[in-house]
PDB file of all heavy atoms in Angstrom:
ATOM      1  N   LEU A  70       0.831  -1.200   0.000  1.00 62.00           N
ATOM      2  CA  LEU A  70       0.000   0.000   0.000  1.00 62.00           C
ATOM      3  C   LEU A  70       0.872   1.260   0.000  1.00 62.00           C
ATOM      4  O   LEU A  70       0.563   2.214  -0.704  1.00 62.00           O
ATOM      5  CB  LEU A  70      -0.931  -0.027   1.215  1.00 62.00           C
ATOM      6  CG  LEU A  70      -2.034   1.019   1.208  1.00 62.00           C
ATOM      7  CD1 LEU A  70      -3.009   0.708   0.096  1.00 62.00           C
ATOM      8  CD2 LEU A  70      -2.739   1.054   2.532  1.00 62.00           C
ATOM      9  N   ALA A  71       1.950   1.235   0.762  1.00 55.00           N
ATOM     10  CA  ALA A  71       2.838   2.400   0.817  1.00 55.00           C
ATOM     11  C   ALA A  71       3.506   2.630  -0.547  1.00 55.00           C
ATOM     12  O   ALA A  71       3.706   3.766  -0.965  1.00 55.00           O
ATOM     13  CB  ALA A  71       3.905   2.216   1.894  1.00 55.00           C
ATOM     14  N   GLU A  72       3.824   1.518  -1.248  1.00 55.00           N
ATOM     15  CA  GLU A  72       4.458   1.642  -2.564  1.00 55.00           C
ATOM     16  C   GLU A  72       3.506   2.281  -3.564  1.00 55.00           C
ATOM     17  O   GLU A  72       3.908   3.100  -4.387  1.00 55.00           O
ATOM     18  CB  GLU A  72       4.886   0.267  -3.078  1.00 55.00           C
ATOM     19  CG  GLU A  72       6.076  -0.313  -2.339  1.00 55.00           C
ATOM     20  CD  GLU A  72       6.444  -1.680  -2.856  1.00 55.00           C
ATOM     21  OE1 GLU A  72       6.549  -1.844  -4.071  1.00 55.00           O
ATOM     22  OE2 GLU A  72       6.608  -2.582  -2.017  1.00 55.00           O
ATOM     23  N   GLN A  73       2.211   1.921  -3.474  1.00 53.00           N
ATOM     24  CA  GLN A  73       1.220   2.494  -4.392  1.00 53.00           C
ATOM     25  C   GLN A  73       1.114   4.010  -4.205  1.00 53.00           C
ATOM     26  O   GLN A  73       1.002   4.757  -5.168  1.00 53.00           O
ATOM     27  CB  GLN A  73      -0.153   1.861  -4.174  1.00 53.00           C
ATOM     28  CG  GLN A  73      -0.274   0.459  -4.758  1.00 53.00           C
ATOM     29  CD  GLN A  73      -1.640  -0.129  -4.486  1.00 53.00           C
ATOM     30  OE1 GLN A  73      -2.268   0.168  -3.480  1.00 53.00           O
ATOM     31  NE2 GLN A  73      -2.094  -0.988  -5.393  1.00 53.00           N
ATOM     32  N   LYS A  74       1.167   4.456  -2.939  1.00 53.00           N
ATOM     33  CA  LYS A  74       1.066   5.886  -2.665  1.00 53.00           C
ATOM     34  C   LYS A  74       2.259   6.641  -3.230  1.00 53.00           C
ATOM     35  O   LYS A  74       2.113   7.727  -3.770  1.00 53.00           O
ATOM     36  CB  LYS A  74       0.938   6.135  -1.157  1.00 53.00           C
ATOM     37  CG  LYS A  74      -0.422   5.760  -0.614  1.00 53.00           C
ATOM     38  CD  LYS A  74      -0.538   6.077   0.838  1.00 53.00           C
ATOM     39  CE  LYS A  74      -1.913   5.684   1.354  1.00 53.00           C
ATOM     40  NZ  LYS A  74      -2.044   5.929   2.794  1.00 53.00           N
ATOM     41  N   THR A  75       3.471   6.058  -3.101  1.00 50.00           N
ATOM     42  CA  THR A  75       4.647   6.743  -3.647  1.00 50.00           C
ATOM     43  C   THR A  75       4.586   6.796  -5.167  1.00 50.00           C
ATOM     44  O   THR A  75       4.974   7.785  -5.773  1.00 50.00           O
ATOM     45  CB  THR A  75       5.959   6.051  -3.212  1.00 50.00           C
ATOM     46  OG1 THR A  75       5.909   4.677  -3.594  1.00 50.00           O
ATOM     47  CG2 THR A  75       6.196   6.186  -1.731  1.00 50.00           C
ATOM     48  N   VAL A  76       4.064   5.744  -5.791  1.00 49.00           N
ATOM     49  CA  VAL A  76       3.916   5.735  -7.244  1.00 49.00           C
ATOM     50  C   VAL A  76       2.908   6.802  -7.665  1.00 49.00           C
ATOM     51  O   VAL A  76       3.119   7.531  -8.630  1.00 49.00           O
ATOM     52  CB  VAL A  76       3.487   4.335  -7.760  1.00 49.00           C
ATOM     53  CG1 VAL A  76       3.080   4.393  -9.215  1.00 49.00           C
ATOM     54  CG2 VAL A  76       4.616   3.340  -7.565  1.00 49.00           C
ATOM     55  N   GLN A  77       1.796   6.934  -6.909  1.00 50.00           N
ATOM     56  CA  GLN A  77       0.790   7.945  -7.230  1.00 50.00           C
ATOM     57  C   GLN A  77       1.357   9.351  -7.078  1.00 50.00           C
ATOM     58  O   GLN A  77       1.069  10.234  -7.881  1.00 50.00           O
ATOM     59  CB  GLN A  77      -0.431   7.777  -6.327  1.00 50.00           C
ATOM     60  CG  GLN A  77      -1.286   6.577  -6.707  1.00 50.00           C
ATOM     61  CD  GLN A  77      -2.391   6.334  -5.696  1.00 50.00           C
ATOM     62  OE1 GLN A  77      -2.370   6.853  -4.589  1.00 50.00           O
ATOM     63  NE2 GLN A  77      -3.362   5.509  -6.086  1.00 50.00           N
ATOM     64  N   LYS A  78       2.200   9.579  -6.065  1.00 51.00           N
ATOM     65  CA  LYS A  78       2.813  10.893  -5.885  1.00 51.00           C
ATOM     66  C   LYS A  78       3.743  11.213  -7.050  1.00 51.00           C
ATOM     67  O   LYS A  78       3.785  12.337  -7.522  1.00 51.00           O
ATOM     68  CB  LYS A  78       3.606  10.942  -4.573  1.00 51.00           C
ATOM     69  CG  LYS A  78       2.744  11.103  -3.352  1.00 51.00           C
ATOM     70  CD  LYS A  78       3.572  11.186  -2.107  1.00 51.00           C
ATOM     71  CE  LYS A  78       2.715  11.223  -0.869  1.00 51.00           C
ATOM     72  NZ  LYS A  78       3.515  11.227   0.360  1.00 51.00           N
ATOM     73  N   GLN A  79       4.491  10.196  -7.508  1.00 47.00           N
ATOM     74  CA  GLN A  79       5.392  10.413  -8.635  1.00 47.00           C
ATOM     75  C   GLN A  79       4.616  10.766  -9.897  1.00 47.00           C
ATOM     76  O   GLN A  79       5.043  11.567 -10.697  1.00 47.00           O
ATOM     77  CB  GLN A  79       6.227   9.157  -8.908  1.00 47.00           C
ATOM     78  CG  GLN A  79       7.368   8.960  -7.937  1.00 47.00           C
ATOM     79  CD  GLN A  79       8.145   7.698  -8.241  1.00 47.00           C
ATOM     80  OE1 GLN A  79       7.664   6.804  -8.929  1.00 47.00           O
ATOM     81  NE2 GLN A  79       9.352   7.616  -7.709  1.00 47.00           N
TER      82      GLN A  79
END
Side-chain angles (χ1 to χ4, degrees):
L70 191 67
E72 288 179 48
Q73 284 179 329
K74 287 183 180 178
T75 56
V76 169
Q77 286 173 344
K78 283 182 185 177
Q79 283 179 341

